[in-house]
């Protein structure tokens, strides 16, 4: 019995190429022709290996988020909320200005222009951004409960603030802002957070 024809391309490498296209052009701006040209495969091979455009995008987002989720969890595991926010935001800067990769963030840029026909894609990316905000809110809520921030601090507002700074960094990075300039933005943003050391003397 003849054996099936072996796949003539590396699936992981092909998805990396698809990530690059979606990242640069957004979901709406990417066509199957763009994907096949970038991935170096025919349309039938693409559909057989990965499915349709939306299924490819879902696979791309799964791969894209894996490392970023791990880095975010590591940063937000720190007890000091200011240092945790610093590590998280600096990671956003480094990801958004990485040499050899598109600038900014696929999670933000992928939905900046999204038609009504692809509202579900925009909603999917918005949900991922909301997850960031919720993680940050939990960070600040833990710090308030532990006495590292004043009892009347607003965890929801602080989390929303840091999440908004992160999204702004992504947009600026996509527009060509340098790593150095964005790291200065991080410092200014952190200066607006309540400093845990200020309240340590009152905690018993």
């Amino acid at each position: 019995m003849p054996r099936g024809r072996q796949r003539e391309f590396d699936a992981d490498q092909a998805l990396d190429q698809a990530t690059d296209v979606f990242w640069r052009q957004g979901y709406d701006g990417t066509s199957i022709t763009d994907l096949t040209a970038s991935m170096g495969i025919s349309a039938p091979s693409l559909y057989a290996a990965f499915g349709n455009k939306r299924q490819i995008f879902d696979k791309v987002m799964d791969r894209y988020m894996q490392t970023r989720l791990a880095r975010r969890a590591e940063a937000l595991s720190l007890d000091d909320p200011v240092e945790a926010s610093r590590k998280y935001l600096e990671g956003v800067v480094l990801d958004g200005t990485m040499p050899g990769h598109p600038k900014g963030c696929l999670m933000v840029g992928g939905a900046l222009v999204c038609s009504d026909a692809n509202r579900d894609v925009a909603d999917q990316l918005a949900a991922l951004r909301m997850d960031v905000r919720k993680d940050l809110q939990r960070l600040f809520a833990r710090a308030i409960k532990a006495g590292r921030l004043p009892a009347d601090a607003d965890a929801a507002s602080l989390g929303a603030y840091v999440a908004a700074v992160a999204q702004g960094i992504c947009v600026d990075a996509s527009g060509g802002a340098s790593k150095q300039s964005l790291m200065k933005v991080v410092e200014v943003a952190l200066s607006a957070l309540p400093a845990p050391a200020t309240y340590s003397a009152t905690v018993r």
Side-chain angles (χ1 to χ4, degrees), residues 87-97 104-105 165-167 169-170:
K87 187 169 184 178
Y88 167 65
L89 290 174
E90 287 180 347
V92 173
V93 172
L94 293 175
D95 281 343
T97 58
C105 172
V165 171
Q167 290 183 36
I169 286 171
C170 292

Side-chain angles (χ1 to χ4, degrees), residues 31-43:
S31 67
I32 290 294
T33 301
D34 294 329
L35 292 171
T36 56
S38 176
M39 298 162 82
I41 59 178
S42 66

Side-chain angles (χ1 to χ4, degrees), residues 104-129:
C105 172
L106 176 57
M107 187 170 60
V108 174
L112 285 179
V113 178
C114 214
S115 66
D116 289 342
N118 294 316
R119 193 73 253 164
D120 58 327
V121 174
D123 290 344
Q124 174 188 352
L125 297 179
L128 291 173
R129 294 193 299 275

Side-chain angles (χ1 to χ4, degrees), residues 6-83:
Q6 292 185 342
R7 186 177 289 170
E8 297 178 351
F9 60 91
D10 182 289
D12 288 337
Q13 184 176 15
L15 283 175
D16 285 342
Q17 295 299 324
T19 300
D20 187 87
V21 175
F22 281 122
W23 198 337
R24 293 181 188 279
Q25 301 178 195
Y27 184 83
D28 268 20
T30 298
S31 67
I32 290 294
T33 301
D34 294 329
L35 292 171
T36 56
S38 176
M39 298 162 82
I41 59 178
S42 66
S45 294
L46 180 146
Y47 287 119
F50 305 110
N52 59 29
K53 174 182 166 180
R54 178 56 196 274
Q55 291 170 319
I56 297 169
F57 183 73
D58 287 342
K59 290 180 174 63
V60 161
M61 286 307 304
D62 285 344
R63 284 168 56 82
Y64 179 83
M65 291 302 298
Q66 281 177 4
T67 55
R68 284 157 182 80
L69 285 171
R71 290 176 192 168
R72 187 165 86 218
E74 180 183 2
L76 302 189
S77 68
L78 298 177
D79 289 334
D80 183 330
V82 176
E83 288 308 307

Side-chain angles (χ1 to χ4, degrees), residues 123-199:
D123 290 344
Q124 174 188 352
L125 297 179
L128 291 173
R129 294 193 299 275
M130 181 56 69
D131 288 342
V132 174
R133 180 181 297 191
K134 289 178 179 177
D135 283 351
L136 287 162
Q137 289 173 353
R138 283 190 283 267
L139 164 72
F140 288 108
R142 289 197 314 270
I144 294 168
K145 185 176 181 179
R148 298 187 184 94
L149 293 176
D152 61 353
D154 186 340
S157 295
L158 289 170
Y161 166 70
V162 176
V165 171
Q167 290 183 36
I169 286 171
C170 292
V171 173
D172 279 358
S174 67
S178 69
K179 179 177 73 174
Q180 291 76 15
S181 68
L182 293 173
M183 286 298 188
K184 291 180 181 178
V185 170
V186 170
E187 291 302 320
V188 173
L190 293 173
S191 70
L193 296 177
T198 304
Y199 306 98

